[in-house]
Amino acid sequence: MMIDKLNTKRDLFILILLSIGSWLILSYYDSFEYLLEYLESHEDYELDEVLLLIIIIGFLSIFFAFRRVKEAAKINKQLEDININLKNEIEYQINERYKKEQLLVEQSKLASLGEMIGNIAHQWRQPLNALGLVVQNIYFSYQNNELNDEFMEKSINKVNLLNQNMSKTIDDFRSFFKPNKDKDIFDLTTSLKDTESLVEASYEHHNIKIESSYNNVLVYGFPNEFSQTLLNILNNAKDAFFDNKIENAIVNISIKSDNIYGIIIIKDNAGGISSNHLNKVFEPYFTTKEEGKGTGIGLYMAKIIIEQNMNGKIEVKNVENGAEFIIKIPLYKDKV
């Protein structure tokens, strides 16, 4: 109870104990009889006046004690009201933050969906062109009366192969964006190769080269979410190359480890990040892109995924002619 914080009950209890203790001591030594004898031998004092004084002091003490208890109860009620208001305010703020985080998650999904559609378009461009050539060849062969069973069989086999490749692209992206429910052991090299395959066509279209240094390192976390983080960083690098009109664009990716983390380093030569923006890149809704070209939540979600969900670390710094992202994921041996 908050009333105990004011020590009113303790003071009242001590007062009662002192009263009982004084009464027992005075009774043991017959102090009241000595008091009577003293009053009889001293005419200046009257017994009734002394008793009246004692009674007045007793009533005042009781009044003071109960008044303190009453005031304490009043303060206690005020404190309880304050606590209730604070509790309601905290719950409201928590709910508002949860709603904002859910909104960020949904926006991140939509942004990832847009990136996914763009990458699928690049992945499909070549097989669609090849499919168009197959159809044209069939048409020309038909016009020249050169259409036969052997030619049709080869054409159909090629169409089926192109169809399988395009279907595989859809399956890759579908599994890539499927969230992991539980943490799992995965290889950083495998995640890197899978992510590179998703941006390969887009990078080739923009004349961007990826230089990778593989090293098999097993870590513990969410493989799909980790790959989404890689994809977001690679897409940002692609946009930076395009915006800054960089020739000989190169992204260098390396994998290593220490005693605690598996480490992946992504470095580009896109000109780096402005010093005014470097400390803000992981903040929600912060973006340097033109309106409509960026949501500013990709790197924020990357930080949430790496640091909060996977107990890792992510940081960025400027290096010569570009920026460098360093991602650290706990090694699996520390978690099993």
Side-chain angles (χ1 to χ4, degrees), residues 8 33 40 58 74 102 141 153 174 176 189 227 242 264-265 267 294 300-302 306 308 320:
T8 52
E33 293 181 3
E40 290 177 356
K74 182 179 179 181
Q102 290 299 112
S141 298
E153 185 177 357
R174 181 183 299 169
F176 179 80
T189 296
S227 295
F242 180 79
I264 186 164
I265 301 172
K267 180 169 59 176
Y300 170 74
M301 292 305 301
I306 298 300
Q308 292 190 15
E320 185 178 2

PDB file of all heavy atoms in Angstrom, residues 8 33 40 58 74 102 141 153 174 176 189 227 242 264-265 267 294 300-302 306 308 320:
ATOM      1  N   THR A   8       2.737   6.348   8.198  1.00  0.00           N
ATOM      2  CA  THR A   8       1.682   6.697   9.154  1.00  0.00           C
ATOM      3  C   THR A   8       1.293   5.508  10.016  1.00  0.00           C
ATOM      4  O   THR A   8       1.100   5.657  11.226  1.00  0.00           O
ATOM      5  CB  THR A   8       0.449   7.199   8.393  1.00  0.00           C
ATOM      6  OG1 THR A   8       0.090   6.238   7.393  1.00  0.00           O
ATOM      7  CG2 THR A   8       0.742   8.527   7.714  1.00  0.00           C
ATOM      8  N   GLU A  33       1.178   6.475  42.360  1.00  0.00           N
ATOM      9  CA  GLU A  33       1.105   6.739  43.808  1.00  0.00           C
ATOM     10  C   GLU A  33       2.148   7.778  44.219  1.00  0.00           C
ATOM     11  O   GLU A  33       1.887   8.659  45.038  1.00  0.00           O
ATOM     12  CB  GLU A  33       1.320   5.443  44.593  1.00  0.00           C
ATOM     13  CG  GLU A  33       0.179   4.447  44.392  1.00  0.00           C
ATOM     14  CD  GLU A  33       0.408   3.176  45.202  1.00  0.00           C
ATOM     15  OE1 GLU A  33       1.421   3.118  45.939  1.00  0.00           O
ATOM     16  OE2 GLU A  33      -0.428   2.256  45.096  1.00  0.00           O
ATOM     17  N   GLU A  40       0.283  15.947  46.855  1.00  0.00           N
ATOM     18  CA  GLU A  40      -0.235  16.290  48.184  1.00  0.00           C
ATOM     19  C   GLU A  40       0.760  17.136  48.987  1.00  0.00           C
ATOM     20  O   GLU A  40       0.378  17.956  49.815  1.00  0.00           O
ATOM     21  CB  GLU A  40      -0.572  15.012  48.955  1.00  0.00           C
ATOM     22  CG  GLU A  40      -1.803  14.289  48.390  1.00  0.00           C
ATOM     23  CD  GLU A  40      -2.058  12.977  49.137  1.00  0.00           C
ATOM     24  OE1 GLU A  40      -1.224  12.639  50.004  1.00  0.00           O
ATOM     25  OE2 GLU A  40      -3.061  12.313  48.835  1.00  0.00           O
ATOM     26  N   GLY A  58      -3.267  13.333  25.467  1.00  0.00           N
ATOM     27  CA  GLY A  58      -3.656  12.051  24.870  1.00  0.00           C
ATOM     28  C   GLY A  58      -4.594  12.219  23.698  1.00  0.00           C
ATOM     29  O   GLY A  58      -4.402  11.620  22.628  1.00  0.00           O
ATOM     30  N   LYS A  74      -5.741  10.125   1.693  1.00  0.00           N
ATOM     31  CA  LYS A  74      -6.076  11.051   0.613  1.00  0.00           C
ATOM     32  C   LYS A  74      -4.959  11.106  -0.425  1.00  0.00           C
ATOM     33  O   LYS A  74      -5.206  11.058  -1.643  1.00  0.00           O
ATOM     34  CB  LYS A  74      -6.319  12.438   1.201  1.00  0.00           C
ATOM     35  CG  LYS A  74      -6.716  13.491   0.175  1.00  0.00           C
ATOM     36  CD  LYS A  74      -6.954  14.830   0.851  1.00  0.00           C
ATOM     37  CE  LYS A  74      -7.321  15.899  -0.188  1.00  0.00           C
ATOM     38  NZ  LYS A  74      -7.541  17.216   0.465  1.00  0.00           N
ATOM     39  N   GLN A 102       3.399  -2.070 -37.158  1.00  0.00           N
ATOM     40  CA  GLN A 102       2.658  -2.904 -38.110  1.00  0.00           C
ATOM     41  C   GLN A 102       2.520  -2.204 -39.454  1.00  0.00           C
ATOM     42  O   GLN A 102       2.616  -2.828 -40.512  1.00  0.00           O
ATOM     43  CB  GLN A 102       1.273  -3.248 -37.551  1.00  0.00           C
ATOM     44  CG  GLN A 102       1.307  -4.223 -36.379  1.00  0.00           C
ATOM     45  CD  GLN A 102       1.920  -5.543 -36.780  1.00  0.00           C
ATOM     46  OE1 GLN A 102       3.012  -5.892 -36.324  1.00  0.00           O
ATOM     47  NE2 GLN A 102       1.266  -6.295 -37.631  1.00  0.00           N
ATOM     48  N   SER A 141       8.811 -20.835 -90.619  1.00  0.00           N
ATOM     49  CA  SER A 141       8.908 -22.204 -91.144  1.00  0.00           C
ATOM     50  C   SER A 141       7.591 -22.631 -91.768  1.00  0.00           C
ATOM     51  O   SER A 141       7.561 -23.327 -92.804  1.00  0.00           O
ATOM     52  CB  SER A 141       9.298 -23.171 -90.022  1.00  0.00           C
ATOM     53  OG  SER A 141      10.565 -22.843 -89.497  1.00  0.00           O
ATOM     54  N   GLU A 153       9.105 -30.484 -82.600  1.00  0.00           N
ATOM     55  CA  GLU A 153       9.529 -31.098 -81.343  1.00  0.00           C
ATOM     56  C   GLU A 153      10.617 -30.263 -80.668  1.00  0.00           C
ATOM     57  O   GLU A 153      10.575 -30.027 -79.454  1.00  0.00           O
ATOM     58  CB  GLU A 153      10.038 -32.512 -81.596  1.00  0.00           C
ATOM     59  CG  GLU A 153      10.396 -33.264 -80.307  1.00  0.00           C
ATOM     60  CD  GLU A 153      10.831 -34.684 -80.581  1.00  0.00           C
ATOM     61  OE1 GLU A 153      10.800 -35.117 -81.752  1.00  0.00           O
ATOM     62  OE2 GLU A 153      11.199 -35.382 -79.608  1.00  0.00           O
ATOM     63  N   ARG A 174       8.771 -16.500 -54.581  1.00  0.00           N
ATOM     64  CA  ARG A 174       7.737 -16.843 -53.613  1.00  0.00           C
ATOM     65  C   ARG A 174       8.354 -17.380 -52.328  1.00  0.00           C
ATOM     66  O   ARG A 174       7.980 -16.960 -51.228  1.00  0.00           O
ATOM     67  CB  ARG A 174       6.791 -17.885 -54.215  1.00  0.00           C
ATOM     68  CG  ARG A 174       5.649 -18.285 -53.277  1.00  0.00           C
ATOM     69  CD  ARG A 174       4.803 -19.377 -53.916  1.00  0.00           C
ATOM     70  NE  ARG A 174       4.196 -18.924 -55.158  1.00  0.00           N
ATOM     71  CZ  ARG A 174       3.587 -19.734 -56.010  1.00  0.00           C
ATOM     72  NH1 ARG A 174       3.527 -21.038 -55.766  1.00  0.00           N
ATOM     73  NH2 ARG A 174       3.039 -19.262 -57.115  1.00  0.00           N
ATOM     74  N   PHE A 176      11.386 -16.890 -51.406  1.00  0.00           N
ATOM     75  CA  PHE A 176      12.269 -15.858 -50.882  1.00  0.00           C
ATOM     76  C   PHE A 176      11.524 -14.910 -49.942  1.00  0.00           C
ATOM     77  O   PHE A 176      12.040 -14.524 -48.890  1.00  0.00           O
ATOM     78  CB  PHE A 176      12.865 -15.071 -52.052  1.00  0.00           C
ATOM     79  CG  PHE A 176      13.772 -13.950 -51.632  1.00  0.00           C
ATOM     80  CD1 PHE A 176      15.078 -14.212 -51.268  1.00  0.00           C
ATOM     81  CD2 PHE A 176      13.318 -12.651 -51.603  1.00  0.00           C
ATOM     82  CE1 PHE A 176      15.924 -13.181 -50.879  1.00  0.00           C
ATOM     83  CE2 PHE A 176      14.158 -11.616 -51.219  1.00  0.00           C
ATOM     84  CZ  PHE A 176      15.456 -11.888 -50.857  1.00  0.00           C
ATOM     85  N   THR A 189      26.865 -18.179 -47.499  1.00  0.00           N
ATOM     86  CA  THR A 189      27.180 -18.278 -48.927  1.00  0.00           C
ATOM     87  C   THR A 189      25.941 -18.635 -49.737  1.00  0.00           C
ATOM     88  O   THR A 189      25.692 -18.068 -50.803  1.00  0.00           O
ATOM     89  CB  THR A 189      28.283 -19.318 -49.161  1.00  0.00           C
ATOM     90  OG1 THR A 189      29.483 -18.879 -48.522  1.00  0.00           O
ATOM     91  CG2 THR A 189      28.546 -19.508 -50.641  1.00  0.00           C
ATOM     92  N   SER A 227      18.044 -12.693 -46.320  1.00  0.00           N
ATOM     93  CA  SER A 227      18.175 -12.486 -47.759  1.00  0.00           C
ATOM     94  C   SER A 227      17.450 -11.222 -48.204  1.00  0.00           C
ATOM     95  O   SER A 227      17.904 -10.516 -49.113  1.00  0.00           O
ATOM     96  CB  SER A 227      17.624 -13.707 -48.522  1.00  0.00           C
ATOM     97  OG  SER A 227      18.405 -14.855 -48.263  1.00  0.00           O
ATOM     98  N   PHE A 242      22.811   4.357 -60.506  1.00  0.00           N
ATOM     99  CA  PHE A 242      22.014   5.009 -61.550  1.00  0.00           C
ATOM    100  C   PHE A 242      21.918   6.515 -61.307  1.00  0.00           C
ATOM    101  O   PHE A 242      22.105   7.318 -62.231  1.00  0.00           O
ATOM    102  CB  PHE A 242      20.615   4.392 -61.591  1.00  0.00           C
ATOM    103  CG  PHE A 242      19.718   4.997 -62.629  1.00  0.00           C
ATOM    104  CD1 PHE A 242      19.825   4.653 -63.965  1.00  0.00           C
ATOM    105  CD2 PHE A 242      18.753   5.934 -62.256  1.00  0.00           C
ATOM    106  CE1 PHE A 242      18.997   5.224 -64.924  1.00  0.00           C
ATOM    107  CE2 PHE A 242      17.920   6.513 -63.202  1.00  0.00           C
ATOM    108  CZ  PHE A 242      18.050   6.151 -64.534  1.00  0.00           C
ATOM    109  N   ILE A 264      29.194 -10.541 -43.185  1.00  0.00           N
ATOM    110  CA  ILE A 264      29.102 -10.295 -44.619  1.00  0.00           C
ATOM    111  C   ILE A 264      29.296  -8.801 -44.859  1.00  0.00           C
ATOM    112  O   ILE A 264      28.686  -7.964 -44.186  1.00  0.00           O
ATOM    113  CB  ILE A 264      27.758 -10.797 -45.201  1.00  0.00           C
ATOM    114  CG1 ILE A 264      27.751 -10.674 -46.724  1.00  0.00           C
ATOM    115  CG2 ILE A 264      26.574 -10.095 -44.581  1.00  0.00           C
ATOM    116  CD1 ILE A 264      26.650 -11.488 -47.379  1.00  0.00           C
ATOM    117  N   ILE A 265      30.197  -8.477 -45.777  1.00  0.00           N
ATOM    118  CA  ILE A 265      30.560  -7.084 -46.063  1.00  0.00           C
ATOM    119  C   ILE A 265      30.171  -6.766 -47.507  1.00  0.00           C
ATOM    120  O   ILE A 265      30.579  -7.473 -48.434  1.00  0.00           O
ATOM    121  CB  ILE A 265      32.065  -6.846 -45.849  1.00  0.00           C
ATOM    122  CG1 ILE A 265      32.458  -7.180 -44.405  1.00  0.00           C
ATOM    123  CG2 ILE A 265      32.431  -5.401 -46.177  1.00  0.00           C
ATOM    124  CD1 ILE A 265      33.955  -7.146 -44.163  1.00  0.00           C
ATOM    125  N   LYS A 267      30.304  -3.779 -50.274  1.00  0.00           N
ATOM    126  CA  LYS A 267      30.953  -2.499 -50.551  1.00  0.00           C
ATOM    127  C   LYS A 267      30.727  -2.127 -52.014  1.00  0.00           C
ATOM    128  O   LYS A 267      30.829  -2.974 -52.901  1.00  0.00           O
ATOM    129  CB  LYS A 267      32.446  -2.610 -50.245  1.00  0.00           C
ATOM    130  CG  LYS A 267      33.241  -1.339 -50.490  1.00  0.00           C
ATOM    131  CD  LYS A 267      34.654  -1.449 -49.904  1.00  0.00           C
ATOM    132  CE  LYS A 267      35.421  -2.604 -50.506  1.00  0.00           C
ATOM    133  NZ  LYS A 267      36.813  -2.668 -50.015  1.00  0.00           N
ATOM    134  N   GLY A 294      11.121   5.990 -53.241  1.00  0.00           N
ATOM    135  CA  GLY A 294      11.640   5.326 -52.046  1.00  0.00           C
ATOM    136  C   GLY A 294      10.749   5.599 -50.851  1.00  0.00           C
ATOM    137  O   GLY A 294      10.179   6.690 -50.712  1.00  0.00           O
ATOM    138  N   TYR A 300      15.510   0.593 -42.360  1.00  0.00           N
ATOM    139  CA  TYR A 300      14.962   0.531 -40.997  1.00  0.00           C
ATOM    140  C   TYR A 300      14.524  -0.897 -40.667  1.00  0.00           C
ATOM    141  O   TYR A 300      14.839  -1.428 -39.600  1.00  0.00           O
ATOM    142  CB  TYR A 300      13.786   1.493 -40.860  1.00  0.00           C
ATOM    143  CG  TYR A 300      13.014   1.326 -39.566  1.00  0.00           C
ATOM    144  CD1 TYR A 300      13.525   1.771 -38.361  1.00  0.00           C
ATOM    145  CD2 TYR A 300      11.765   0.701 -39.563  1.00  0.00           C
ATOM    146  CE1 TYR A 300      12.822   1.618 -37.183  1.00  0.00           C
ATOM    147  CE2 TYR A 300      11.050   0.541 -38.390  1.00  0.00           C
ATOM    148  CZ  TYR A 300      11.584   1.007 -37.202  1.00  0.00           C
ATOM    149  OH  TYR A 300      10.880   0.838 -36.042  1.00  0.00           O
ATOM    150  N   MET A 301      13.813  -1.533 -41.612  1.00  0.00           N
ATOM    151  CA  MET A 301      13.383  -2.906 -41.400  1.00  0.00           C
ATOM    152  C   MET A 301      14.583  -3.850 -41.379  1.00  0.00           C
ATOM    153  O   MET A 301      14.594  -4.844 -40.651  1.00  0.00           O
ATOM    154  CB  MET A 301      12.388  -3.324 -42.491  1.00  0.00           C
ATOM    155  CG  MET A 301      11.055  -2.605 -42.422  1.00  0.00           C
ATOM    156  SD  MET A 301      10.238  -2.747 -40.812  1.00  0.00           S
ATOM    157  CE  MET A 301      10.063  -4.526 -40.664  1.00  0.00           C
ATOM    158  N   ALA A 302      15.613  -3.527 -42.173  1.00  0.00           N
ATOM    159  CA  ALA A 302      16.829  -4.342 -42.156  1.00  0.00           C
ATOM    160  C   ALA A 302      17.456  -4.327 -40.772  1.00  0.00           C
ATOM    161  O   ALA A 302      17.908  -5.364 -40.257  1.00  0.00           O
ATOM    162  CB  ALA A 302      17.822  -3.824 -43.195  1.00  0.00           C
ATOM    163  N   ILE A 306      17.938  -7.629 -38.423  1.00  0.00           N
ATOM    164  CA  ILE A 306      19.275  -8.076 -38.029  1.00  0.00           C
ATOM    165  C   ILE A 306      19.488  -7.951 -36.531  1.00  0.00           C
ATOM    166  O   ILE A 306      19.948  -8.904 -35.876  1.00  0.00           O
ATOM    167  CB  ILE A 306      20.355  -7.281 -38.790  1.00  0.00           C
ATOM    168  CG1 ILE A 306      20.231  -7.518 -40.307  1.00  0.00           C
ATOM    169  CG2 ILE A 306      21.748  -7.683 -38.305  1.00  0.00           C
ATOM    170  CD1 ILE A 306      20.391  -8.953 -40.726  1.00  0.00           C
ATOM    171  N   GLN A 308      17.206  -6.815 -33.823  1.00  0.00           N
ATOM    172  CA  GLN A 308      16.180  -7.222 -32.862  1.00  0.00           C
ATOM    173  C   GLN A 308      15.768  -8.679 -33.038  1.00  0.00           C
ATOM    174  O   GLN A 308      15.669  -9.425 -32.066  1.00  0.00           O
ATOM    175  CB  GLN A 308      14.956  -6.313 -32.969  1.00  0.00           C
ATOM    176  CG  GLN A 308      15.212  -4.883 -32.520  1.00  0.00           C
ATOM    177  CD  GLN A 308      13.928  -4.082 -32.410  1.00  0.00           C
ATOM    178  OE1 GLN A 308      12.813  -4.619 -32.392  1.00  0.00           O
ATOM    179  NE2 GLN A 308      14.056  -2.758 -32.342  1.00  0.00           N
ATOM    180  N   GLU A 320      36.476   4.479 -49.516  1.00  0.00           N
ATOM    181  CA  GLU A 320      36.950   5.181 -50.709  1.00  0.00           C
ATOM    182  C   GLU A 320      35.985   4.970 -51.879  1.00  0.00           C
ATOM    183  O   GLU A 320      35.712   3.841 -52.286  1.00  0.00           O
ATOM    184  CB  GLU A 320      38.346   4.677 -51.085  1.00  0.00           C
ATOM    185  CG  GLU A 320      38.959   5.437 -52.247  1.00  0.00           C
ATOM    186  CD  GLU A 320      40.362   4.955 -52.569  1.00  0.00           C
ATOM    187  OE1 GLU A 320      40.826   4.004 -51.899  1.00  0.00           O
ATOM    188  OE2 GLU A 320      40.975   5.513 -53.505  1.00  0.00           O
TER     189      GLU A 320
END
